[in-house]
Structure formats: structure tokens, C-alpha cells
Amino acid sequence: MTNRRVLISGAGVAGPALAFWLHRHGCTPTVVERAPELRDGGYAVDFRGASLRVLDRMGLLEQVEAAATRMGEVTYVDSEDRPLVVTPPTFQSGELEIMRGDLSRILHEATMDDVEYVFGDAITGVLDRDDGVTVTFEHGAPREFDLVIGADGLHSTVRSLVFGDESWYRRDLGYHVSIFTVPNHLGLDHAGRFYNEPNRTVGVYSARDNAEAKALFWFGSPPIDYDPRDVEQQRRIVEETFEGVGWETSTLLEAMREAPDFYFDSASQIVLDSYSRGRVALVGDAAYCAAPLSGMGTSLAIVGAYVLAGELAAAGGDHRRAFGAYETEMRGFAEVCQKLAQGNGKWFVPPTRGWIRMRNLNYKLLPYLPWRKVIEELPLKAGNAITLKEYATARA
Ligand SMILES: Cc1cc2nc3c(=O)[nH]c(=O)nc-3n(C[C@H](O)[C@H](O)[C@H](O)COP(=O)(O)OP(=O)(O)OC[C@H]3O[C@@H](n4cnc5c(N)ncnc54)[C@H](O)[C@@H]3O)c2cc1C
């Protein structure tokens, strides 16, 4: 196989998963991650359909199952914490649900002995020549690679450097989300409680066997101009947006100040006309972010990594053939997953009091609605909207 030296930007989910498979196919991947260490945080992420089969092929399914959230019911409450409607466990979670940070850790641990990880650095330049790529870094010396893969998320630097400005490819769905770890002060037992005011959703659910909880803030808004690296500014945006909102909001906002893993982002999708340019390709959110409202981001990242590495191996390292085949396999799947998120927002962040009442009534009636099964099976259908090929590996 040619083109074995592969640089991957980003050690979230897609990056380590890709490194795993590239190593299995006989490559020598290097992963560069901007954060000084693996990033914990984020909420529970779901696996559905094909991604479960990939985890199984990685030999990691048992480990992921052992760290599963085992989340129970979510109760929607009024400002006095009185239950309005209860949704069953199957409603929010996929076939298997795990905290994003736990997944990232499992993937990192499965690859750290075979893959070079460089933390605390980032790519600043990519010079794609006919016979290789010269890469420059914020801190390290320039290095030569055969291929460069951007697995650096929604705001991918590789994509900006090689494909052009983010604004050309980003479709905002009109919402922002913040998630962070807080003490489980409500004593929730594998359960969540959510509260709504128009255009605002506040939630908290227990995590890591109730040892802690995740607070979640969603709001509807047009695009906000903020610095993605300025966490203080992002905290202020959340505080100002939720000022005066009832229920447990002020306690959770106070806890936000101490949160070790504050996360804030827009609910956005990435739509590209091609997932590669020359010797550079994208995977995961960088290529086809589906937005948190889809519940499919992690499945897409895991499956995308499997397919990209597999196609490279199947093409004997011929990146032109491999990148083309990767796109052919993934594009339809990515589109189905992205579609799931569109129009979903109003159910999760109802814009008016009328919408909140209507949503709660629908959830109450859901067990009796004839189309209940259709609604429940939509995400599963999306998760299976790709037929996985078998790719022979060079290493066990
Ligand atoms: C801390 C965190 C919390 C998240 N929380 C949620 C959540 O609650 N809900 C949800 O739906 N999605 C969340 N996401 C996104 C979710 O992880 C992805 O949608 C999905 O898992 C696909 O993973 P990915 O590897 O493509 O992207 P990501 O998981 O976003 O990983 C991208 C990685 O690239 C790194 N990176 C970024 N820029 C550079 C650079 N220039 N150079 C090197 N490395 C770089 C990031 O630090 C990150 O580790 C979160 C992402 C992160 C990083």
C-alpha cells in the first residue's frame, strides 16, 4: 500500500477512529490535537445501526456497552418542578448511548500504543504537492506526510485552509447549545428533567452512574458573532440569554462557572460539494456535520472513519480512487442523517407557549398514536442508511 504516512487533525471521535482503522490497514497515522489533552465533556451520544456494527468490528462494543449511560425517563416539568409529561428511555437514546468524553477516551486508549498523538498543537498550513504534503504547525517543525485528513470538527481548520471559508459550507439551523458537567444536585437516578420557556430549554440529567450530572441549555437565535476560543464570552452569552428563566436555571448557571468542560456551539450542518481536494480529505463533523439535533453525529463519524480507511486500503493507497469511493459510499448516508435534524428544533426548543403545550400533549399521546412506530423508527432507519462493505485488514 502506498501513501501510508497520514496526518489526522483532531482527536475527538472521527480522528482516533480513523487512526484505529488506518493502523489496521498498515498505515502509520499521526494525530495532532489542538487541546493540551483529550477533551472530556459533551452530552450523551447515541449509536444506531451501522455504527454499532463498526464498533463491533473494532472489538470495542463490549467496552462501550460497559460505559453506557443506561438513561431512564426524561420528565418535562413546570417552573415549580411539577411533572408535565414523561418520555420513555427509548425516546431520547439510541440503541446504545455513552457520554461523548467516555467514547473519545475509549477510542484514544485503543490507539495510543500504535499511533503517534501530538497534543497542544495545530496545523497552520498545508502545501499539497504532487508527491506529498508539507504541513506547518503552530508549535512543531514542518513535517512531510502522504495524506492529510481533517477530523477537526464543525469549525475544521483543515477545511478552512484547503476548501475555503467556513461560512461557504455552514448551514445554521437557528439554535445554540451549551452543555457542561454539574453536581447531581437533584439526586437524579439515571433520569433527566427538562424545563421550557419560549425559545429556551434547560435540562439536567444524571451521568456516570449518578456521580455527576450534565446541564444542558438550548436556545433559538439567529447566528451569533463570537470568538470560538473565548470561553468567557460564551459563558456570558449563556448567562444573558437565560437570565430570569425559572425552575433550576439560576443554580445551574452558577454551577456553569465551575464546570470543567464547558461546551458551546451553534446547531449547524456542513454541506460540501466534495469531501476531498487533492491529497486532503475530511471526515466526521468537518465533512458532513449533521448537528446535535440529528442525534447522528457520532454514528456518522465512526462509520465515515471506517469507510475512508477501508477505501484507502482497497485502493492500495491510491488516494484519488479511495477518496472518490469514500464519497460515493458516504454521501447518501450523510444526507439522510442531516435531514433528521431539519425541522426537529421546534420540538426540542418550542418557540411559543402554545408550541410548548402542543409538544407536551403530543408526547403524552404518543403511546396511543398510530404513527408512533414510524416516528420511533426514523432514527434507526437513518442509522442503517448505508450498507457497510467488508474491508480486508493487514493487521489483526
Ligand atoms: C468537547 C466537545 C463536546 C461536544 N459535545 C457535544 C454535545 O454535547 N452534543 C453533540 O451533539 N455534539 C457534541 N460535540 C460534537 C460531537 O463530538 C461530534 O458531532 C461527533 O462526535 C463527531 O466527532 P468529530 O470527531 O467529527 O468532531 P469533534 O468531536 O468535534 O472532534 C474534533 C476534535 O478536533 C479538535 N480540533 C479542533 N480544531 C483543531 C485544530 N485546528 N487542530 C487540531 N485539533 C483541532 C477538537 O479539539 C476536537 O477534539 C462535542 C465536541 C467536543 C469537542
Side-chain angles (χ1 to χ4, degrees):
M1 183 168 158
T2 56
N3 289 328
R4 287 168 191 257
R5 295 171 308 161
V6 184
L7 176 66
I8 301 166
S9 174
V13 174
L18 180 65
F20 177 98
W21 285 111
L22 286 176
H23 173 72
R24 281 268 176 105
H25 290 303
C27 295
T28 43
T30 297
V31 181
V32 59
E33 162 63 48
R34 171 178 273 154
E37 57 194 24
L38 210 62
R39 291 180 68 185
D40 197 4
Y43 62 17
V45 292
D46 304 337
F47 289 99
R48 295 183 169 91
S51 60
L52 277 174
R53 291 192 286 285
V54 174
L55 278 184
D56 197 21
R57 287 178 196 184
M58 294 171 95
L60 298 178
L61 189 54
E62 263 182 40
Q63 239 177 300
V64 173
E65 277 172 347
T69 59
R70 285 176 277 280
M71 183 55 71
E73 292 171 338
V74 167
T75 306
Y76 288 81
V77 297
D78 68 11
S79 59
E80 304 299 319
D81 201 42
R82 287 177 300 229
L84 297 170
V85 60
V86 180
T87 57
T90 47
F91 198 63
Q92 323 273 343
S93 321
E95 289 171 81
L96 174 60
E97 190 181 66
I98 179 174
M99 299 315 298
R100 182 201 164 278
D102 290 343
L103 173 65
S104 195
R105 179 183 44 76
I106 289 172
L107 292 169
H108 178 241
E109 282 172 4
T111 49
M112 59 195 281
D113 291 340
D114 305 313
V115 170
E116 178 194 9
Y117 277 89
V118 181
F119 284 95
D121 209 348
I123 296 175
T124 51
V126 176
L127 180 64
D128 185 348
R129 295 175 278 96
D130 272 355
D131 58 345
V133 192
T134 307
V135 182
T136 52
F137 298 92
E138 268 175 24
H139 303 296
R143 287 175 67 173
E144 299 292 319
F145 293 92
D146 297 316
L147 304 171
V148 173
I149 312 293
D152 40 4
L154 172 60
H155 308 293
S156 166
T157 299
V158 172
R159 193 185 56 227
S160 297
L161 289 170
V162 179
F163 292 68
D165 194 77
E166 179 173 310
S167 60
W168 303 350
Y169 311 109
R170 206 180 79 202
R171 313 265 185 278
D172 293 317
L173 300 182
Y175 302 92
H176 284 78
V177 59
S178 177
I179 293 161
F180 45 88
T181 300
V182 294
N184 184 5
H185 79 288
L186 295 178
L188 296 168
D189 179 6
H190 297 92
R193 284 179 106 72
F194 282 32
Y195 170 72
N196 283 103
E197 289 189 7
N199 239 355
R200 309 272 186 277
T201 298
V202 184
V204 60
Y205 57 87
S206 59
R208 294 183 173 141
D209 275 334
N210 309 326
E212 60 188 36
K214 299 282 172 184
L216 166 151
F217 289 72
W218 275 91
F219 61 98
S221 79
I224 301 175
D225 195 17
Y226 67 93
D227 177 354
R229 296 215 207 174
D230 188 344
V231 171
E232 201 39 51
Q233 183 194 18
Q234 295 162 31
R235 282 200 177 106
R236 271 201 310 276
I237 292 170
V238 177
E239 272 167 354
E240 282 162 18
T241 308
F242 285 86
E243 200 185 340
V245 171
W247 186 57
E248 295 289 328
T249 304
S250 59
T251 308
L252 295 172
L253 283 176
E254 229 165 88
M256 179 175 76
R257 290 265 136 223
E258 308 295 321
D261 55 359
F262 177 84
Y263 170 77
F264 178 82
D265 215 328
S266 61
S268 307
Q269 301 191 326
I270 294 295
V271 181
L272 287 163
D273 57 3
S274 169
Y275 300 159
S276 65
R277 295 263 197 284
R279 289 179 169 271
V280 180
L282 303 170
V283 67
D285 278 4
Y288 27 71
C289 182
L293 289 164
S294 78
M296 296 303 296
T298 310
S299 289
L300 269 170
I302 292 280
V303 172
Y306 171 79
V307 173
L308 176 54
E311 291 298 340
L312 259 172
D318 176 343
H319 63 282
R320 285 185 198 85
R321 257 176 59 207
F323 290 168
Y326 158 62
E327 181 150 348
T328 304
E329 293 297 310
M330 284 300 293
R331 188 167 281 282
F333 181 41
E335 282 171 3
V336 170
C337 294
Q338 289 188 326
K339 213 162 170 215
L340 265 190
Q342 292 153 11
N344 225 353
K346 283 195 173 134
W347 292 91
F348 203 60
V349 192
T352 61
R353 294 205 179 276
W355 251 97
I356 296 172
R357 278 196 296 275
M358 199 274 290
R359 191 271 319 267
N360 291 349
L361 184 65
N362 260 272
Y363 283 0
K364 243 182 222 167
L365 295 177
L366 195 65
Y368 317 103
L369 294 177
W371 53 89
R372 170 196 173 172
K373 264 209 131 1
V374 181
I375 296 174
E376 280 182 354
E377 280 171 8
L378 270 179
L380 187 59
K381 266 198 171 158
N384 278 314
I386 181 167
T387 307
L388 293 178
K389 290 189 197 167
E390 296 268 359
Y391 301 102
T393 55
R395 293 184 178 121

